[in-house]
């Protein structure tokens, strides 16, 4: 699970919003494989139950990955679903996170979405790697302290 600071979330939102705008999508979500919503683009015209959407997306990706393995593939890189009016493109980032782009078919298409994602994928992956490195460094801080050597009873005297 990623521990994201407000300034990191702001940066993620900026990149997701730029991807959303340039690809003419309705909204872009970043979700972990457990179904937790990590961040989303600013999309005031789009409303949804983000938590439910994130959970269902993670379940859909898990099922698609299992089907992919049954067919002999090692992993699933992306998936596409469409309704009558909308397309939902899902792509894995570093095999840990799911990037979901929802677009209206009259405003954009899968080709535009994939081209713009190619531009923003490395930026998003670098931000995620920085967040993960920061989390690992913070976890090491607690391990360096030997609490057995600290006299807690006399600590604040």
């Amino acid at each position: 699970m990623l521990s994201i600071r407000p300034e990191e979330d702001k940066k993620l939102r900026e990149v997701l919003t730029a991807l959303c705008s340039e690809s003419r999508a309705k909204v872009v979500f970043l979700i972990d494989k457990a179904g937790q919503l990590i961040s989303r683009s600013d999309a005031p015209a789009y409303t949804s139950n983000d938590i439910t959407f994130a959970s269902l997306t993670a379940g859909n990706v898990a099922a698609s990955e299992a089907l992919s393995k049954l067919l002999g593939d090692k992993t699933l890189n992306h998936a596409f679903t469409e309704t009558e009016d909308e397309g939902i493109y899902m792509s894995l980032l570093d095999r840990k996170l799911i990037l979901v782009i929802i677009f209206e078919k009259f405003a954009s298409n899968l080709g535009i979405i994939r081209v713009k994602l190619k531009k923003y994928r490395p930026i998003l992956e670098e931000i995620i790697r920085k967040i993960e490195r920061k989390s690992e460094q913070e976890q090491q801080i607690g391990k360096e302290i030997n609490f057995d050597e600290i006299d807690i009873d006399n600590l604040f005297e």
Side-chain angles (χ1 to χ4, degrees):
M1 182 171 147
L2 287 177
S3 174
I4 299 175
R5 294 183 175 146
E7 61 272 12
E8 295 164 337
D9 182 53
K10 182 181 176 191
K11 183 66 180 168
L12 280 172
R13 279 183 169 267
E14 288 173 358
V15 175
L16 295 174
T17 300
L19 171 60
C20 184
S21 176
E22 286 189 26
S23 63
R24 295 183 280 171
K26 289 173 71 174
V27 67
V28 178
F29 293 105
L30 184 61
I31 300 166
D32 71 11
K33 287 180 109 177
Q36 179 184 2
L37 178 67
I38 303 296
S39 189
R40 65 172 277 177
S41 65
D42 292 331
Y46 184 81
T47 58
S48 72
N49 184 337
D50 294 352
I51 304 301
T52 302
F53 186 84
S55 296
L56 292 172
T57 298
N60 185 14
V61 168
S64 296
E65 281 185 321
L67 288 171
S68 180
K69 287 180 182 173
L70 283 175
L71 296 173
D73 289 335
K74 292 180 181 174
T75 185
L76 177 77
N77 294 325
H78 55 92
F80 177 66
T81 300
E82 63 182 331
T83 65
E84 186 173 323
D85 299 323
E86 296 178 335
I88 303 171
Y89 183 72
M90 296 169 266
S91 180
L92 295 181
L93 296 179
D94 285 339
R95 298 184 180 171
K96 294 177 253 174
L97 300 176
I98 307 162
L99 187 69
V100 183
I101 304 170
I102 300 174
F103 60 95
E104 293 174 321
K105 289 193 228 175
F106 71 84
S108 190
N109 62 53
L110 188 55
I112 293 171
I113 298 297
R114 292 185 76 173
V115 166
K116 294 303 177 183
L117 180 56
K118 190 173 185 177
K119 173 182 174 183
Y120 285 99
R121 173 186 294 276
I123 299 168
L124 287 167
E125 289 175 340
E126 182 57 30
I127 293 170
I128 297 299
R129 282 188 206 108
K130 282 182 181 176
I131 292 169
E132 289 173 337
R133 281 193 300 267
K134 179 228 12 145
S135 293
E136 289 172 7
Q137 290 170 346
E138 289 176 351
Q139 289 175 355
Q140 292 302 319
I141 292 172
K143 292 179 180 176
E144 295 171 0
I145 299 172
N146 185 353
F147 291 101
D148 293 336
E149 294 178 358
I150 299 174
D151 183 8
I152 294 178
D153 292 333
N154 296 322
L155 186 63
F156 299 106
E157 290 183 0

